């Protein structure tokens, strides 16, 4: 067997986030010699677990998993590499009046609780679950396909469009119209057709606003509701799971699989540029000046960095550059990680109940969420933000010293474009707002805090390179999905530079720890090989 | 006994009258029933104040398909187009303002705000014209359901696909990208001037319970530019006010042998074995009818006029779910003199728009989300007497103002004389910031809240379009998914109001298409001899 | 925590094996004793007392109450007499069964509907524009079913009511030693029996009165296992077992029309408009694709299958609720959904959906049985439902 030069690879993947790792693993599995370059000291991108404070390990950014594609888990044999996902079974929404709304995993229990708030909703809930099941079935093939270009006349695109047309046509009138409504409506309106219980509507609609700069009453927020049902077809709140060891555990498992297939992963290796010769990528230049050669270069970074930083914009078509500049990032969420000396004690449900093993959602009403958005619209962080809180140490005790806990608070809205810009004082003020909001429902929280880490969208941009701190590498809005993600004509993982590909969440289908972008990109790269 | 009517039309709104005309011209015996003394539905002109004729509700006739004017020969029946005013004037105070209209002075006007914007104006305007042009092509036919198995529908769908591709790569993608966008994002992509963006963005939220930052409002902007020259919104001014359109339609209808009864309200539509059998008048008179064309909004039609027992609960659910959220109020003024915006009179012949920025519009919307009336409302005013002096005594004027947002459902209290007059004051105060002489010039005023519009015109929630023009309620989704072709689950009952495709704006198109569908079906199924 | 029924203080105390199961969000007993045999035999020989409180109950009242029910139900509600009880399924617009239950006319403008599933939302959806109130009284009304040949004698001893004249599917208001109750001559066993409806707060008292008054007549609390055998013998359907509610079905093939469930007799096509009317008229005209029938397994055939592996025949000790394929000449023509050994008929019986052309009574079929881990086909034949038709039920 011929030996190959150490500095020449079949493929170099820029960015060791979960999509980059998935792409690398698939390429390595196909026998390619693959190198992954990660700027930070850990792999995972936004899916990392770090011991931020001694003894306290956090899923620093992304904190739950719901959509990791089952085919990836199978193909890469991730359970063998340590992947273990534990369900987050309940969602507790504390209410300002001292009551609560809880969504339990058990059907009878869930119904009983819903019935307490609204007998009609208790029934609607099952039917809603059934509709969502159909919708998830309708969307699944789309998530798994490379988006065809509707303007193209190439046989492959026409075939893809034909397949898509047949798929939609085959749904039948009712399901098609329901899907159309889901794609175009606001989550508030969509849910109002089904439910009357305010905290139920708000807690469900919150999923529609995550990662977007829209309020729950804006059209286009309903379809993200589907994400909650993609892994959940029995109608129960079981969409979200928590990875053992934090979300970094997922990245580690994928990295381990990639290494098993022969991929090399280098951390603390920042890429400054993609080397392009004659319109063709030939390797990368690292920040320290090293140049590495590769037949194929794959970027797992977001479209802004992929096109405008790794490449020289002057060498790109004008409309592409304009398109990237118009691509909406505008991060809208922050993260607060707390190390706790004791568990929070919620006034509405005191003690150490099963609710602490689930999610706690600060979303008492649609108006609450909408007001949170109102603040952000005009450049302020929400005075009363929406929050999705979990206590990972309840599920995996290794994340904190015995008896102590870690708490993860996802917070929206925290606009990237804050009036006057983000600084230390504003960050701390934001952290205080979050703690104050939560402490209204769990008064012992403040005294239980040992350490606190506050991450603004600006911090996310600086730390893990998410432009404007958008957690999905670009808003999940209708005009930025499918064949429009990231840009029309460039939605098939390719770029105008030959042998340079994109595989990040900024491509179809994007968003969440799904890995589908990385897999589909690898499939396309291998097709071109 | 006289021969039974082939079709009974409920309501004499523009859409219904257009439908009635086409049916009558096809040789059918048609009866139109209107419960008011004036015709035209929301398109009415009334002498609200002695000597002043005001367009009570709609301020202009919208975009009337030239085909309809021609087919029905409306000009011989008294429809006289005085002019097409294509200007939008957006005052910024101190007599200055942005003026958008045909011609080079638009560019100059924009350039004073931003030279960069001026250079983008023409490409933008042309793009809007092309995209709205494609939309118009969709508005000229009854929308096929994309999942239809019918061969004809499949051809129609293929035709739409071909036309879309016919736009060319760039415009096609631009269309698909634009439709679901917030109008604010679309305008931010193109322009930097707040006034220009506010003025253009207003078209994206007109009569809609959304702000410009809400997704899907770019579609509404396109909708309001159907049939318009580029990104401009023009106003066709007809002699005698908007009501003259209905008068012309009524005359044309009479000439085709149609029969019209006004001031006779319909109480309900009778259904027997799933078929329309008669229309029952408020007085109790029963008019047998095998086909009924209803101009009322779908909610009123299916929940009040028809006994819901005849409809399957799923369908009723869909009807109940129609979003129809009244947000606009109307203020009509009799003026002793022209309001002084500090600019030339010609600037005021078009539309005067008070929407100084996208944030201004958005804040105005914010209030309504929580059931409050906007403190600083978005206003769209016209002074029709400038073009048609016959509407007011010599030297005097009428001014007609649409105000947003005035939510139908107030969080605190109810609509009543106090809230109504407070709203009127707020509108006048806002306008007075730009035309200080206005308050003193007001001789009389009329304020219509969404509740008033509901009770006067019978439109649920006072919604001008009988249903929000959001993406989930247009094309094959209008009025409800699966029933976008004017027919209803009740055999023989058709809808023809703006609650059906393509909605308000392209005036009368729903009636035109409804009649076409009915005549098509009639050809297909030979008339029963019973 | 799951809900308990109003009788729980008494039922829990009697439970010998803690054999709890779920029914509509409640915990109820599968059997009180360690085996359910005696509970079953009480149904047929004495009187069994079955806690049926988890049933959903709706109070429907108002000027349009009759109109609403006439719209929702396929039966002609205009013909429902005062104090009449009707068994009825109800359908969606496609004519597929959503649920089944009983409707009682308590008064001119007052009805009670019982259902196996929650139906509040569906009733509201159908009540658009009607002057009617729909109240979920499931938790406020306790219900106990007294079934068996001695049930009338027991009630006569404790209730102030004319039970001798109370006809099958009629109800009467009564006082049971001071407890106001409604007694309906209905049940889910195919035997002489009554269902007694009282305010949940008086449930325990009622239980005690029944036990005291019934002792001499062999009254026996019975659980769901005993009930299940009785209802199969009586050919009575169970939702989510014998059919899938149109509101739960994920695909159309899972749904059934009343015609396909042997409930065609409940559909009055000629009455005023009701949900599913058009679809049902079409189906009636076309003829249903499926029929719901009894299956009687041939004993010799079953014995033979076991004999082949050297075992005596095994019969199910409790009713089963899984799906067993039915074959004709090796081709599947249907599936049985419930089955049991009938202790009274001494037959292995099952209820099955059969393609209409194989549904003629007496048609020889095969039913899949598992003999020592291996799938076999036992000979069987299509039988009439109900298997058991007792004269005393109606008399």
């Amino acid at each position: 067997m011929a030996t190959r030069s150490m500095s020449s690879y079949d493929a170099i993947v820029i960015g060791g986030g979960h999509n980059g790792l998935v792409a690398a693993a698939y390429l390595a599995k196909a026998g390619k010699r693959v190198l992954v370059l990660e700027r930070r000291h850990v792999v995972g991108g936004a899916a990392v677990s770090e011991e931020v404070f001694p003894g306290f390990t956090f899923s620093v950014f992304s904190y739950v998993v719901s959509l990791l594609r089952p085919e990836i888990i199978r193909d890469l044999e991730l359970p063998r590499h340590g992947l273990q996902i534990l369900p987050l079974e309940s969602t507790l929404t504390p209410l300002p009046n001292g009551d609560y709304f809880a969504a339990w995993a058990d059907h009878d229990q869930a119904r009983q609780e819903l019935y307490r708030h609204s007998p009609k909703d208790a029934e609607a809930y099952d039917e809603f679950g059934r509709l969502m099941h159909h919708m998830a079935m309708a969307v699944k093939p789309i998530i798994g396909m490379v988006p065809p270009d509707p303007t193209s006349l190439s046989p492959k695109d026409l075939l893809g469009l034909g397949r898509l047309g047949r798929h939609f046509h085959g749904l039948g009138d009712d399901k098609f119209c329901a899907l159309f409504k889901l794609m175009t409506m606001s989550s508030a309106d969509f849910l109002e057709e089904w439910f009357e219980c305010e905290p139920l509507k708000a807690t469900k609609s919150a999923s529609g606003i995550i990662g977007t700069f829209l309020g729950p009453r804006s059209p286009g927020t309903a379809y993200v509701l589907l994400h909650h049902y993609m892994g959940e077809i029995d109608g129960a709140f079981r969409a979200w799971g928590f990875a053992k060891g934090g979300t970094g555990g997922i990245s580690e498992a994928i990295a381990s699989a990639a290494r098993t297939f022969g991929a090399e992963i280098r951390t603390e290796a920042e890429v400054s540029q993609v080397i392009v010769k004659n319109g063709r990528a030939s390797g990368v230049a690292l920040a320290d000046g090293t140049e590495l050669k590769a037949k194929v270069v794959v970027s797992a970074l977001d479209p802004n960095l992929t096109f405008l930083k790794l490449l020289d914009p002057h060498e790109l078509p004008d409309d592409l550059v304009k398109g990237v500049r118009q691509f909406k990032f505008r991060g809208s969420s922050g993260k607060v990680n707390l190390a706790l000396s004791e568990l929070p004690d919620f006034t509405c449900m005191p003690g150490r109940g099963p609710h602490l093993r689930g999610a706690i959602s600060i979303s008492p009403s649609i108006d609450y969420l909408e007001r949170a958005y109102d603040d952000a619209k005009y450049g302020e962080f929400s005075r009363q933000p929406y929050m999705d809180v979990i206590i990972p140490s309840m599920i995996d005790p290794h994340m904190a010293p015995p008896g102590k806990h870690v708490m993860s608070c996802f917070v929206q809205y925290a606009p990237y474009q804050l009036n006057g810009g983000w600084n230390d004082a504003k960050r701390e003020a934001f952290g205080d707002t979050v703690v104050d909001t939560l402490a209204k429902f769990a008064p012992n929280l403040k005294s239980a805090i040992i350490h606190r880490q506050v991450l603004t969208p600006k911090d996310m941009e600086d730390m893990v390179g998410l432009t404007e701190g958008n957690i999905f590498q670009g808003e999940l809005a209708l005009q930025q999905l499918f064949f429009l993600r990231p840009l029309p004509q460039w939605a098939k993982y390719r770029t105008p530079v030959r042998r340079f590909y994109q595989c990040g969440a900024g491509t179809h289908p994007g968003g969440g720890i799904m890995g589908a972008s990385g897999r589909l990109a690898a499939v396309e790269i291998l097709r071109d090989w | 006994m006289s021969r039974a009517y082939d079709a009974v039309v409920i309501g004499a709104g523009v859409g219904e009258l257009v439908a009635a005309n086409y049916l009558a011209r096809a040789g059918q015996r048609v009866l139109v029933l209107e419960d008011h003394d004036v015709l035209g539905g929301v398109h009415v002109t009334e002498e609200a104040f002695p000597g002043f004729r005001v367009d009570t509700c709609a301020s202009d006739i919208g975009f009337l398909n030239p085909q309809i004017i021609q087919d029905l020969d409306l000009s011989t029946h008294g429809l006289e187009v005085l002019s097409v005013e294509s200007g939008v004037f957006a005052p910024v105070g101190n007599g200055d303002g942005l003026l958008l209209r045909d011609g080079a002075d638009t560019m100059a006007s924009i350039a004073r705000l931003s030279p960069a914007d001026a250079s983008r104006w023409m490409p933008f305007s042309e793009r809007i014209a092309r995209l709205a042009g494609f939309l118009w092509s969709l508005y000229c036919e009854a929308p096929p359901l994309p999942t239809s198995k019918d061969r004809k529908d499949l051809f129609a769908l293929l035709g739409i696909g071909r036309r879309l591709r016919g736009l060319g790569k760039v415009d096609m993608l631009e269309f698909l990208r634009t439709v679901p966008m917030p109008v604010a994002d679309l305008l931010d992509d193109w322009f930097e001037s707040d006034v220009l963006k506010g003025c253009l963005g207003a078209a994206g939220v007109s009569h809609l319970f959304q702000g410009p930052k809400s997704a899907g409002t770019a579609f509404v902007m396109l909708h309001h530019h159907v049939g318009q020259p580029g990104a401009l919104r023009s106003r066709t001014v007809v002699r005698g006010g908007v009501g003259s359109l209905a008068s012309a339609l009524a005359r044309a209808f009479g000439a085709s042998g149609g029969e019209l009864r006004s001031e006779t309200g319909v109480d309900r539509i009778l259904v027997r074995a799933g078929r329309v059998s008669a229309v029952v008048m408020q007085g109790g008179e029963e008019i047998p009818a095998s086909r009924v064309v209803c101009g009322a909004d779908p909610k009123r039609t299916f929940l009040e006029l028809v006994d819901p027992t005849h409809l399957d609960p799923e369908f009723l659910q869909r009807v109940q779910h129609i979003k129809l959220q009244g947000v606009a109020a109307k203020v009509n003024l009799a003026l002793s003199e022209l309001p002084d915006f500090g600019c030339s009179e010609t600037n005021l012949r078009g539309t005067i728009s008070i929407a100084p920025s996208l944030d201004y519009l958005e804040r105005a919307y914010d209030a309504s989300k929580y059931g409050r009336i906007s403190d600083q409302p978005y206003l769209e005013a016209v002074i029709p007497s400038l073009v048609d002096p016959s509407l007011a005594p010599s030297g005097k004027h009428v001014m007609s103002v649409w105000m947003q947002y005035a939510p139908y459902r107030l969080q605190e209290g109810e609509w009543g004389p106090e809230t109504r007059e407070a709203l009127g004051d707020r509108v006048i105060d806002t306008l007075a910031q730009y035309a200080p002489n206005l308050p003193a010039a007001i001789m009389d005023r009329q304020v219509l809240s969404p509740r008033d519009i509901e009770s006067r015109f019978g439109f649920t929630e006072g919604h001008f379009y009988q249903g929000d023009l959001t993406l989930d309620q247009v094309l094959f989704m209008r009025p409800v998914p699966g029933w976008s072709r004017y027919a209803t689950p009740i055999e023989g009952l058709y809808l023809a109001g703006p609650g059906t495709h393509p909605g308000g704006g392209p005036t009368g198109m729903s009636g035109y298409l409804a009649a076409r569908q009915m005549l098509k079906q009639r050809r297909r199924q030979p008339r029963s001899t019973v | 925590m799951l809900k308990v029924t109003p009788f729980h203080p008494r039922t829990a105390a009697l439970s010998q094996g803690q054999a709890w199961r779920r029914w509509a969000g409640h915990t109820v007993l599968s059997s009180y004793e360690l085996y359910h045999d005696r509970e079953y035999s009480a149904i047929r020989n004495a009187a069994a007392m079955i806690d049926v409180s988890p049933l959903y109950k709706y109070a429907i009242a108002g000027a349009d109450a009759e109109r609403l029910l006439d719209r929702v139900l396929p039966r002609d509600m205009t013909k429902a007499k005062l104090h009449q009880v009707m068994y009825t399924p109800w359908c969606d617009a496609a004519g597929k069964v959503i649920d089944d239950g009983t409707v009682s006319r308590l008064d001119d403008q007052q009805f009670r509907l019982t259902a196996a599933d929650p139906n509040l939302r569906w009733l509201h959806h159908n009540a658009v524009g009607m002057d009617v109130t729909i109240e979920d009284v499931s938790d406020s009304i306790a219900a106990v079913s007294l079934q068996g040949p001695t049930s009338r004698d027991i009630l006569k001893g404790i209730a102030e009511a004319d039970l001798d004249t109370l006809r099958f599917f009629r109800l009467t208001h009564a006082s049971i030693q001071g407890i106001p109750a409604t007694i309906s001559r209905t049940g889910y066993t195919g035997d002489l029996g009554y269902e007694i409806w009282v305010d949940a707060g008086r449930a325990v008292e009622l239980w005690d009165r029944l036990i005291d008054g019934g002792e001499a007549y062999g009254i026996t609390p019975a659980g769901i296992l005993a009930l299940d055998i009785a209802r199969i013998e009586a050919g009575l359907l169970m939702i989510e077992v014998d059919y899938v509610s149109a509101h739960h079905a994920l695909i159309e093939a899972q749904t059934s029309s009343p015609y396909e469930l042997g409930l065609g007799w409940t559909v009055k096509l000629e009455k005023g408009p009701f949900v599913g009317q058009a679809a049902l008229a079409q189906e009636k005209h076309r003829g249903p694709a499926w029929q719901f029938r009894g299956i009687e397994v041939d004993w010799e055939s079953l014995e033979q299958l076991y004999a082949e592996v050297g075992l005596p025949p095994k019969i199910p000790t409790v009713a089963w609720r899984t799906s067993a394929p039915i074959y004709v000449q090796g081709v599947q023509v249907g599936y049985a959904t419930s089955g049991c050994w009938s202790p009274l008929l001494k037959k292995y019986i099952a209820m099955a959906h059969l393609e209409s052309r194989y549904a003629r009574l007496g048609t020889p079929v095969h039913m899949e049985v598992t003999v020592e881990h291996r799938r076999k086909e036992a000979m069987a034949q299509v039988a009439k439902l109900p298997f058991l038709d007792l004269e005393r039920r109606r008399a």
Side-chain angles (χ1 to χ4, degrees), chain C residues 223-382:
Chain C
I224 305 300
L225 291 178
L227 182 65
D228 219 8
I229 292 173
R231 69 107 191 159
I232 295 172
E233 289 174 334
L236 299 169
L237 291 167
M238 180 169 273
I239 193 169
E240 301 309 299
V241 173
D242 298 308
Y243 71 94
V244 178
S245 164
H247 279 173
H248 296 177
L250 287 171
I251 51 172
E252 209 251 324
Q254 291 175 333
T255 60
S256 303
S257 76
Y259 295 115
E260 292 171 335
L261 294 176
L263 299 176
W265 61 274
T266 62
V267 182
K268 308 294 175 200
L269 286 174
E270 60 292 344
K271 70 162 188 163
F274 66 95
V275 182
Q277 190 175 30
L280 289 169
Q282 270 179 28
E283 178 166 344
K284 183 164 191 203
H285 178 74
R286 208 175 46 227
W290 295 85
Q291 300 281 353
F292 196 68
R293 289 283 188 262
I295 297 287
E296 288 182 7
V297 178
D298 181 69
W299 181 255
E300 280 74 26
S301 163
L302 193 67
E303 201 168 32
Q304 177 62 32
L305 291 175
Y306 279 93
E308 282 167 13
V309 294
L311 286 172
K314 245 197 246 172
I315 48 165
T317 52
V318 295
W320 49 260
R321 296 176 166 191
T322 45
S323 177
I326 305 287
Y327 300 96
V328 166
Q329 291 171 347
V331 178
Q332 187 171 352
V333 300
Y335 52 96
T337 46
S338 310
C340 68
W341 174 256
S342 165
L344 197 73
L345 302 168
K346 301 294 174 213
K347 276 181 188 165
Y348 186 2
I349 54 173
M351 298 198 285
H353 296 258
L354 294 171
E355 288 175 26
S356 291
R357 58 194 162 132
Y358 298 105
R360 203 171 33 81
L361 300 185
T363 306
V365 296
H366 285 88
M367 186 174 87
E368 188 180 286
V369 289
T370 304
V371 177
E372 272 306 282
H373 318 293
R374 283 169 209 283
R375 290 174 183 187
K376 304 281 181 189
E377 289 174 22
M379 276 162 39
Q381 64 171 0
V382 177

Side-chain angles (χ1 to χ4, degrees), chain A residues 12-24:
Chain A
I12 289 177
V13 177
I14 306 169
H18 76 281
N19 274 311
L21 293 170
V22 166

Side-chain angles (χ1 to χ4, degrees), chain B residues 159-171:
Chain B
I160 291 169
R162 246 199 311 273
R163 280 204 305 280
L164 182 60
R165 286 177 86 116
L167 282 175
K169 215 171 218 185
V170 174
D171 280 343

